[in-house]
Each structure stands twice: as C-alpha cells, then as structure tokens.
Amino acid sequence: ETGVTQSPTHLIKTRGQQVTLRCSSQSGHNTVSWYQQALGQGPQFIFQYYREEENGRGNFPPRFSGLQFPNYSSELNVNALELDDSALYLCASSLPRTGELFFGEGSRLTVL
Amino acid sequence: EDQVTQSPEALRLQEGESSSLNCSYTVSGLRGLFWYRQDPGKGPEFLFTLYSAGEEKEKERLKATLTKKESFLHITAPKPEDSATYLCAVVNAGGTSYGKLTFGQGTILTVHP
C-alpha cells in the first residue's frame, strides 16, 4: 500500500512568485485535503477536494487554488507569494466523510 | 468559530512517569474529536477518533477520553519513543467538509530515559 507522497520536499521562492505543490493520495482514497502549518502552530485547513471538485474551504484568499485529477492526485497553487506564506504545506488523503486523515510529509516553502 | 486549546504547551517527563495532556474545545456541534501525533519533519499520524462524551479509546500506552468540553490524552509509563508533538482537532457537525479539521497548537512531549 502506497502512502501519501508530496513534492517537492523543500523549495525557496521570492515574494511575488507563484508555486505549485503536488500530492499523490494513498491507494483507495478519493478525498484530498490541504493544510498550512506555520512553525510552532497546528495545521490550518486550506481546502478539500472530492471527485475533482472543491468541497470545503478555510479562511485563505483566492490566490490559494487547487486541482484534483481523475487519479485523485492533487495540486496546490499559490500566486503572488507573500513572506507569511512561508510554512509547511501538508496534503492528506482520506475516504469520504471521515476526519481520519493520512498525511504526507509535507512541502517546506520558504518565501524570501 | 471553532476553537481548540491544548495545554500544556510543552511537557517533560521521565521514562515511566505517567501524565495527561489536555484539549479544550469550543464547537457549535461536535462531529468528532481527533488526536494525532507529529514527529519532527513529518506529517501528523492519526491516533484516535472520539465522537461522544464518555467515550474512551486506547492504544498501547495511550488512552483518550472525551467530555462535553474537553478531551484528555493519558500517557501511562511513557518511553522515549513517545516523544513527539500531540495534536488535537475537531470537526464541526454543521460543516460540509468532514476533512475540515480545526487543530490546536499542539503539546510537545519529551520523555527522558
């Protein structure tokens, strides 16, 4: 059974640039959620995708957007990067209608 | 707005010294309360789900309990490998997304040999 994999693991961008983070869900899981975790804080919900459609969104601006593909993999796109976007971005997959999430190891984004 | 507060922020124990972590929550309707463990540089790992007051779950040295306002994670005779950040999270029954967890800031547990 393959777990959740994320890429890249680390990346550095400058303010104003755009970034795309990728996630492959665990085998059999058709729901993907994205979280942002700042240093020393708990994860914050960005959005969730189910059957290729956004199914719930947290308090993040529209420059945070996402996609889910037919194979259930997903992308998180962030435009016009700001310094405060520096964080660990976590992807989690799950079965529908459960809070039991399986997280990847995250993508560490640094914005300079 | 859903809120989760964990205490203490950090806890240092000697191996074998039992203790408890607290998670206080405010939510209009609870769909579920979750405990996760997070090791440095890793994503959170699911431990327990609790759905209603009075419910208890156990796994090895860990036991989670739930009341209407808080949850406790009891650690019995901890070992150094139990050292990690423990995260508590809730899902609101009124939300459309089961995956929208509201997390606390976590408790950093260190167990010394």
Side-chain angles (χ1 to χ4, degrees):
Chain A
E1 184 176 276
T2 306
V4 177
T5 58
Q6 293 187 242
S7 63
T9 54
H10 295 83
L11 68 166
I12 299 173
K13 293 285 187 178
T14 57
R15 195 170 47 182
Q17 286 189 311
Q18 177 265 342
V19 68
T20 297
L21 308 178
R22 295 178 175 83
C23 172
S24 293
S25 61
Q26 181 164 312
S27 176
H29 288 178
N30 57 10
T31 302
V32 174
S33 305
W34 285 92
Y35 285 79
Q36 180 195 67
Q37 187 174 26
L39 205 59
Q41 302 297 314
Q44 276 196 291
F45 177 75
I46 304 176
F47 41 56
Q48 182 181 67
Y49 279 84
Y50 171 63
R51 291 186 174 179
E52 302 177 54
E53 294 205 358
E54 190 179 285
N55 175 37
R57 187 180 182 94
N59 295 327
F60 282 82
R63 59 189 185 84
F64 285 78
S65 63
L67 284 174
Q68 187 181 30
F69 300 99
N71 66 354
Y72 307 136
S73 66
S74 178
E75 285 183 356
L76 165 66
N77 298 288
V78 187
N79 294 321
L81 285 167
E82 300 177 359
L83 297 179
D84 285 348
D85 295 333
S86 295
L88 180 67
Y89 288 85
L90 295 163
C91 170
S93 72
S94 64
L95 296 172
R97 294 184 293 280
T98 174
E100 182 179 335
L101 307 182
F102 293 81
F103 285 88
E105 297 200 345
S107 294
R108 171 74 62 186
L109 171 65
T110 302
V111 182
L112 302 176
Chain B
E1 184 179 331
D2 303 336
Q3 285 193 330
V4 177
T5 303
Q6 294 186 243
S7 62
E9 290 186 6
L11 180 62
R12 298 185 179 191
L13 300 174
Q14 288 296 126
E15 185 173 1
E17 180 187 2
S18 301
S19 187
S20 296
L21 313 182
N22 177 264
C23 169
S24 297
Y25 64 90
T26 303
V27 63
S28 54
L30 183 68
R31 189 187 299 279
L33 183 141
F34 303 84
W35 283 96
Y36 283 81
R37 168 192 170 130
Q38 186 172 25
D39 293 305
K42 307 282 189 181
E45 176 187 352
F46 171 77
L47 292 174
F48 302 109
T49 308
L50 300 166
Y51 294 104
S52 57
E55 189 173 0
E56 298 182 352
K57 294 272 180 75
E58 282 190 72
K59 179 180 179 180
E60 296 181 353
R61 295 176 292 282
L62 300 177
K63 179 181 177 180
T65 62
L66 181 64
T67 73
K68 289 187 177 180
K69 293 184 177 181
E70 57 192 353
S71 176
F72 292 93
L73 184 66
H74 307 278
I75 303 176
T76 302
K79 298 182 177 181
E81 53 261 42
D82 295 323
S83 298
T85 296
Y86 290 86
L87 295 163
C88 173
V90 297
V91 173
N92 191 312
T96 58
S97 173
Y98 283 75
K100 184 180 179 182
L101 273 62
T102 299
F103 281 89
Q105 81 280 15
T107 292
I108 302 170
L109 174 66
T110 305
V111 182
H112 297 285

